[in-house]
């Protein structure tokens, strides 16, 4: 295999130089961290599953006109993506109270929110990714007001679409995190969805039983972590063993 230049190593992914200018290769690791690196571990097969799940979701989002960095999956653990200038924000959407919202505001986990909430966090490990307001974002120049407007509009569309997609396979989309980047094409800049969408950055609960099928199984030592990720892929009809031509498509739940 040709040697490639590694550009960045994060907690769950590695970015390599891509085969053409303006492209990168995103490699999905099995490493898992929680609490900003305080808890470390490995979830066997997670990288393979997240690569497939993120490919599937980004492709579905492209089909409804949500611009994103995904080009194509290369192999079990790698996908080709467009190189974007990452905006240093995590955009969190919440439909049901859970995690830090439940803890911070003393709201019972599992309570459906009367409307979806969008929160912003500044991506900075040293500062523990603090929550920030729109005023901080524009004041410190992390994103312009127009960029934020674009990000919010895209985020709400992603939330509506993914909520329906997951509900169709018996999963409640409780909350999730998105990241965005700036893509430059002929002097024109577009805000596009970047990073990944997978059980690492979504809370996914069985719609009937409330059973968790996401990284909370790792964060909270609930056991059967691998099984949670596999079940999400299975319900979406994209377990890797099936191979691209054998994909059965989503399993509709009654
Ligand atoms: P939280 O309840 O811990 O704030 O997380 C909200 C959602 O955002 C949850 O689905 C996990 C995701 N998330 C990330 O993907 N990365 C992060 O660094 C944080 C804080 C949350």
């Amino acid at each position: 295999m040709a040697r490639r230049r590694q550009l960045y190593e994060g907690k769950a992914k590695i970015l390599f130089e891509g085969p053409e200018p303006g492209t990168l290769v995103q490699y999905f690791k099995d490493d898992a961290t929680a609490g900003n690196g305080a808890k470390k571990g490995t979830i066997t097969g997670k990288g393979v599953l997240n690569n497939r799940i993120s490919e599937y979701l980004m492709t579905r989002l492209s089909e409804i006109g949500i611009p994103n960095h995904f080009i194509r999956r290369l192999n079990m653990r790698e996908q080709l993506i467009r190189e974007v200038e990452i905006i240093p924000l995590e955009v969190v959407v919440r439909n049901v109270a859970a995690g830090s919202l439940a803890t911070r505001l003393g709201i019972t986990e599992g309570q459906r929110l009367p409307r979806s909430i969008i929160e912003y966090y500044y991506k900075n490990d040293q500062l523990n990714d603090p929550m920030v307001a729109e005023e901080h974002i524009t004041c410190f120049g992390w994103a312009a007001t127009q960029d934020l407007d674009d990000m919010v509009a895209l985020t709400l569309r992603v939330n509506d679409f993914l909520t329906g997609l997951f509900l169709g396979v018996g999963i409640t989309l409780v909350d999730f995190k998105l990241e965005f980047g700036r893509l430059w094409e002929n002097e024109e800049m577009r805000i596009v969805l970047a990073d990944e969408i997978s059980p690492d950055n979504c809370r996914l609960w069985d719609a009937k039983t409330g059973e968790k099928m996401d990284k909370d199984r790792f964060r909270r030592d609930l056991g059967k972590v691998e099984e949670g990720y596999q079940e999400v892929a299975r319900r979406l009809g994209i377990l890797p063993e099936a191979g691209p031509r054998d994909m059965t498509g989503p399993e509709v739940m009654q």
Side-chain angles (χ1 to χ4, degrees):
M1 194 174 71
R3 292 197 69 78
R4 296 165 305 182
R5 199 153 65 92
Q6 182 176 317
L7 302 177
Y8 166 84
E9 176 155 12
K11 297 182 194 109
K13 293 188 294 290
I14 304 174
L15 290 178
F16 295 98
E17 213 167 51
E20 293 146 35
T23 65
L24 300 175
V25 173
Q26 180 165 249
Y27 176 96
F28 288 75
K29 301 194 280 185
D30 284 350
D31 297 351
T33 62
N36 194 20
K39 178 179 161 85
K40 287 194 173 71
T42 303
I43 303 172
T44 309
K46 171 173 84 81
V48 175
L49 290 165
N50 282 357
N51 188 22
R52 285 295 286 114
I53 294 170
S54 200
E55 171 198 23
Y56 179 77
L57 298 176
M58 291 290 191
T59 304
R60 295 287 82 80
L61 289 168
S62 288
E63 287 166 1
I64 61 153
I66 304 284
N68 64 68
H69 73 165
F70 179 80
I71 301 173
R72 68 174 180 275
R73 188 165 61 88
L74 297 171
N75 54 50
M76 296 284 270
R77 287 185 183 270
E78 294 178 330
Q79 50 183 241
L80 187 66
I81 58 169
R82 273 179 234 292
E83 183 172 25
V84 299
E85 184 187 301
I86 287 286
I87 294 171
L89 295 173
E90 298 193 337
V91 180
V92 169
V93 189
R94 301 179 187 274
N95 301 309
V96 175
S100 70
L101 176 90
T103 312
R104 202 174 53 243
L105 303 180
I107 296 169
T108 312
E109 191 159 85
Q111 190 178 310
R112 183 156 280 281
L113 301 170
R115 64 184 187 88
S116 303
I117 293 174
I118 295 185
E119 298 170 345
Y120 308 107
Y121 295 83
Y122 176 45
K123 264 167 71 78
N124 185 315
D125 283 345
Q126 268 128 28
L127 300 175
N128 247 329
D129 297 346
M131 197 196 315
V132 291
E134 190 170 334
E135 281 79 359
H136 302 108
I137 296 168
T138 51
C139 177
F140 298 112
W142 299 323
T145 304
Q146 181 61 53
D147 298 341
L148 267 179
D149 288 350
D150 290 353
M151 286 159 67
V152 168
L154 290 171
T155 298
L156 292 174
R157 288 186 65 201
V158 171
N159 187 39
D160 278 351
F161 182 76
L162 291 186
T163 295
L165 185 148
F166 278 117
L167 204 55
V169 295
I171 295 174
T172 303
L173 179 59
V174 171
D175 56 32
F176 60 99
K177 183 262 298 185
L178 297 178
E179 292 189 24
F180 293 88
R182 297 186 183 89
L183 182 63
W184 295 90
E185 281 167 331
N186 311 322
E187 315 278 307
E188 296 259 316
M189 188 276 283
R190 272 200 307 164
I191 301 285
V192 304
L193 192 56
D195 195 49
E196 71 179 293
I197 308 178
S198 73
D200 265 14
N201 43 40
C202 300
R203 283 198 173 90
L204 302 167
W205 295 356
D206 182 277
K208 283 204 181 111
T209 66
E211 194 179 359
K212 298 182 198 322
M213 292 185 264
D214 55 64
K215 198 171 151 193
D216 271 352
R217 299 204 71 83
F218 168 78
R219 293 188 191 101
R220 302 181 186 189
D221 296 318
L222 299 176
K224 295 195 172 169
V225 184
E226 287 84 358
E227 286 86 342
Y229 284 69
Q230 272 166 23
E231 180 60 12
V232 173
R234 192 190 68 77
R235 291 202 193 178
L236 292 172
I238 53 169
L239 261 188
E241 289 83 358
R245 271 165 198 78
D246 299 321
M247 284 194 313
T248 53
E251 179 186 317
V252 178
M253 306 294 278
Q254 300 305 315

